[in-house]
Amino acid sequence: MAELKIIPVPTRILTEEDDIAEAIAYYAGAEVTGDDLVCCAESVVAITQDRYVFPEELEISGMAEFCCRFIPDYGSLASPHGMQALMDVEGKWRVTAALFAGFLAKLVGKNGMFYKWGGKEAAMIDDVTGTMPPFDKAIVYGPAEPDRVAQEITERVGAFGAMVADVNDLKRSRVVGVSAGIDGVLAAQLLLDNPFGNASQKTPICIIKNYRQYQEGQRA
């Protein structure tokens, strides 16, 4: 079996002026073959879709200030502006009800239900400092239509597949979107050491070389 290798790809700062598939083709296209999986950080995909807001653009409600107190300090919703950003897109009553219901669920041993009931963005929002400069001063939402984005990347660069992933330094790797035929759960396990450099490293893209053979071998 060909060697499985993960290659981080440096880029300039990508903005809403960029098309993510074209950017990947420009910076990584020469490295990609039909056996490879191209992975992209979900926050960067969202930024290219203009899906972010600066804290000073938000009008913080008393409800957001109250609800954020029940989120662990390390969470993106633990600040009033993070919570307000969620309420603005998912609805303040839905978020508040989900927080209360999630607390009750935790009492009977069911954790994480707030993020399930609070809307798609509850688990997707990155608060300030959550991504690369200058967007470390912004709250970044999750990307729109991530499966479609992954498919577009695959077709543009001629890869075996593509994945949009949410990965951090706490050994957390979550599939956000994948192209057709890709086992996202299997691929996400390969990203647990967070090969992305979303901050000053400017490597929001990585290529998993020879992933096709690896996936086929795991399924055999």
Side-chain angles (χ1 to χ4, degrees), residues 53-62 64 80-81 84-85 87-88:
V53 63
F54 289 100
E56 57 268 24
E57 297 173 343
L58 298 169
E59 185 175 342
I60 308 300
S61 66
H81 46 267
Q84 187 63 54
M87 288 181 170
D88 284 350

Side-chain angles (χ1 to χ4, degrees), residues 85-152:
L86 176 64
M87 288 181 170
D88 284 350
V89 294
E90 299 291 358
K92 65 178 181 180
W93 296 115
R94 176 179 183 172
V95 172
T96 304
L99 189 64
F100 177 70
F103 172 75
L104 295 179
K106 188 175 291 188
L107 294 179
V108 295
K110 292 185 177 181
N111 295 322
M113 300 308 293
F114 164 65
Y115 295 97
K116 180 177 180 180
W117 294 330
K120 177 178 70 71
E121 293 293 346
M124 299 286 285
I125 285 178
D126 284 326
D127 199 358
V128 291
T129 75
T131 189
M132 60 187 180
F135 299 101
D136 58 337
K137 298 177 178 63
I139 300 160
V140 181
Y141 296 107
E145 301 183 86
D147 289 337
R148 178 187 59 78
V149 171
Q151 193 63 41
E152 288 178 355

